[in-house]
Amino acid sequence: MHLRPPPRLAFTTLIPLFLGVISLPAATEDKSSWHLFNPTPVDQMREMVTDRPDTTEAPYTVPAGHFQLEMSFFDYSRDLSPDLTSSIRNQAWIYGQMNFKAGLSHDVDLQIMFDTYTQGRSTTDEVTDKLSGFSDVTLRLKMNVWGNDEGITALAIMPYVKIPTGTRLSNNEWEGGLIVPLSVTLSDRVSLGLMTQMDLVSDANTGGYDLEWLHSVTIGVSLTEKLGMYVELVGVAGASTDFRALLDGGLTFAVTDNLVFDAGVRIGLNRAAEDIGVFSGMSFRY
């Protein structure tokens, strides 16, 4: 895929988009009004669908008035410098990567994301630098456009804003973007997920913001009623960074209709991408 070098943008261009989606007028149908304190009856809830463990997000929302917690037990990544003349090795451990979701209406949910504790280590031939602590907080609003309850396709739009916390792990910059996930049901056991994501990321060299693009495709397969697997390709391109390509895959195990455990691995396909990552977590709805 050929990607035109993205322009540098001001972060203020994202704010009207995020506020505009939040303030969308309710449609005349009752299902589109706010129902945070009027929960969907349990026997009428749609099947639980999670955004983890793959990168490709799901276009389905949490039922109105209900909550969903998606979290990692751990997420480890390792990356050697792409420069063959150096010997820099970067490692990171993330514990308790949280995504707390609240169903605001039939087709809208609000998500709060953060990493409870992150520990990073950069090692050269002579020096090891360590950094640890709490991360920034991200707010996301997912609005299903179609297919939340029926049909072989589903689409959503999801603007998000990253709020700097001022911790040692924060870059102290507001960032954000827009995520557009699409799901296609290929059969009773196989589904296809596609996603494009636009990110406004801070550029420390210019003091402005650059536009990055992420695109992904994932195939999910139900092996049994409880066991599932997925395989995914992810690509990231930006003005100030080299193109990064990753392959990842994993397994999911549904203990109940509202409790799912997962585990997986990420592998970098080029020098710019992280070399390897492993992770495990769970999702719970109530």
Side-chain angles (χ1 to χ4, degrees):
M1 175 182 294
H2 175 72
L3 295 173
R4 177 182 298 178
R8 290 182 172 84
L9 302 175
F11 180 76
T12 52
T13 60
L14 179 71
I15 300 299
L17 173 63
F18 189 80
L19 296 179
V21 174
I22 292 178
S23 61
L24 283 173
T28 55
E29 297 182 26
D30 181 67
K31 74 175 186 177
S32 298
S33 58
W34 303 113
H35 290 297
L36 180 60
F37 302 108
N38 184 21
T40 301
V42 174
D43 59 351
Q44 297 179 21
M45 289 199 302
R46 66 182 69 96
E47 180 182 355
M48 185 177 79
V49 180
T50 65
D51 287 328
R52 64 167 299 118
D54 56 358
T55 300
T56 305
E57 313 290 20
Y60 308 99
T61 60
V62 176
H66 292 270
F67 302 91
Q68 190 164 308
L69 176 63
E70 302 178 16
M71 62 170 288
S72 69
F73 300 129
F74 71 91
D75 190 318
Y76 168 78
S77 61
R78 187 192 68 186
D79 186 31
L80 299 180
S81 171
D83 184 358
L84 297 179
T85 63
S86 63
S87 58
I88 301 175
R89 182 173 65 180
N90 298 311
Q91 298 181 83
W93 294 261
I94 301 175
Y95 303 101
Q97 189 176 60
M98 302 287 184
N99 185 2
F100 179 75
K101 304 179 179 182
L104 301 183
S105 76
H106 185 273
D107 294 319
V108 178
D109 67 36
L110 177 67
Q111 306 181 11
I112 303 174
M113 302 177 63
F114 57 89
D115 298 337
T116 303
Y117 182 79
T118 299
Q119 184 179 62
R121 183 169 66 188
S122 180
T123 304
T124 63
D125 292 333
E126 300 177 354
V127 179
T128 297
D129 293 327
K130 295 182 179 180
L131 201 62
S132 61
F134 184 76
S135 70
D136 289 334
V137 175
T138 299
L139 297 181
R140 310 198 307 187
L141 190 76
K142 182 189 293 186
M143 184 175 70
N144 178 268
V145 180
W146 75 71
N148 221 7
D149 298 299
E150 59 185 6
I152 62 173
T153 65
L155 179 78
I157 58 174
M158 184 162 34
Y160 76 91
V161 173
K162 181 183 76 70
I163 304 171
T165 57
T167 65
R168 295 184 65 196
L169 294 175
S170 174
N171 64 357
N172 294 316
E173 298 288 349
W174 290 73
E175 296 174 331
L178 180 67
I179 304 169
V180 182
L182 172 69
S183 179
V184 181
T185 302
L186 301 179
S187 71
D188 291 340
R189 290 185 175 271
V190 182
S191 62
L192 170 69
L194 301 166
M195 188 181 80
T196 184
Q197 177 174 330
M198 176 194 74
D199 301 310
L200 288 174
V201 297
S202 174
D203 188 333
N205 295 323
T206 65
Y209 287 85
D210 291 340
L211 183 61
E212 284 191 357
W213 292 94
L214 181 149
H215 51 272
S216 64
V217 55
T218 184
I219 294 289
V221 180
S222 296
L223 301 176
T224 68
E225 289 187 0
K226 293 184 176 295
L227 184 65
M229 67 167 290
Y230 75 92
V231 178
E232 179 182 51
L233 283 171
V234 180
V236 183
S240 302
T241 59
D242 295 330
F243 177 79
R244 305 187 298 278
L246 299 104
L247 170 69
D248 60 274
L251 297 171
T252 61
F253 182 77
V255 179
T256 69
D257 291 340
N258 297 303
L259 176 61
V260 178
F261 290 92
D262 63 69
V265 61
R266 295 183 303 270
I267 300 173
L269 298 180
N270 63 348
R271 291 190 180 277
E274 69 175 42
D275 296 330
I276 192 169
V278 292
F279 53 88
S280 178
M282 61 167 285
S283 300
F284 176 68
R285 183 176 68 176
Y286 57 98

